Amino acid sequence: MYSPRVTATSPATAPNPSATDAECLALTRNLRRRGTLVLSVFALVWAVAAASGTGSATDVAPLGIEVTALVVTAAAIYLGYREGASPSSRTVSLPANWARGVGIVNSVELVAVFAVIAVSNASGHPEAVPAGIALVVGLHFFPLARLYDQWRRPQDPEGAGGCPHPRAVARRMGGGMREK
């Protein structure tokens, strides 16, 4: 969908990116910047939530975690939005209606988070809320990876998200898993 194309030029001039290339690079840069902002803010929220479990609000440990998280968040946002931040050399190939798919995945995640809270509290196990939410948040990245063209095929040794795929592990251990 977004293959590298350049317009024809004479040997004396450098190639100019086509309009499609420029659009692709702009989309890639905007997605990276938006992703940097969203993930940095979410990471800050998670760090503050985690810090709340380390002591009272005025203790050294939670304050240290929160200050560190704030500095790291500010640095990540600065690095993602600085003028010299170049777009990734890898262009994305987004599926049709990818933004709608992202909205659906995030909506399902939100509903699942509230379901975890409701079920954990109703069953008398409020201590399961953080683990349940972490599981929901972690699982929602699998469909998002495909929507953002970050999915790795099962035959790739790294598997999804750089984690070893069970088939690759089995092959390396001398065993094998049958393909259907």
Side-chain angles (χ1 to χ4, degrees), residues 145-163:
R146 183 167 298 223
L147 291 167
Y148 281 109
D149 188 29
Q150 300 297 313
W151 192 259
R152 294 197 182 253
R153 300 176 314 232
Q155 61 268 29
D156 288 346
E158 300 87 24
C163 298

Side-chain angles (χ1 to χ4, degrees), residues 3-55:
S3 59
R5 288 181 216 103
V6 291
T7 56
T9 59
S10 70
T13 62
N16 295 324
S18 69
T20 304
D21 284 342
E23 179 184 342
C24 180
L25 291 176
L27 176 64
T28 301
R29 171 173 266 172
N30 287 338
L31 284 176
R32 287 184 69 199
R33 286 182 170 177
R34 189 180 318 160
T36 299
L37 178 64
V38 169
L39 293 177
S40 296
V41 171
F42 273 120
L44 177 63
V45 170
W46 277 100
V48 170
S52 70
T54 61

Side-chain angles (χ1 to χ4, degrees), residues 29-92:
R29 171 173 266 172
N30 287 338
L31 284 176
R32 287 184 69 199
R33 286 182 170 177
R34 189 180 318 160
T36 299
L37 178 64
V38 169
L39 293 177
S40 296
V41 171
F42 273 120
L44 177 63
V45 170
W46 277 100
V48 170
S52 70
T54 61
S56 71
T58 57
D59 287 349
V60 174
L63 284 175
I65 292 169
E66 291 164 354
V67 168
T68 302
L70 192 59
V71 169
V72 169
T73 299
I77 292 171
Y78 168 76
L79 290 173
Y81 277 83
R82 73 185 188 282
E83 187 64 32
S86 62
S88 172
S89 60
R90 178 184 178 275
T91 55
V92 295

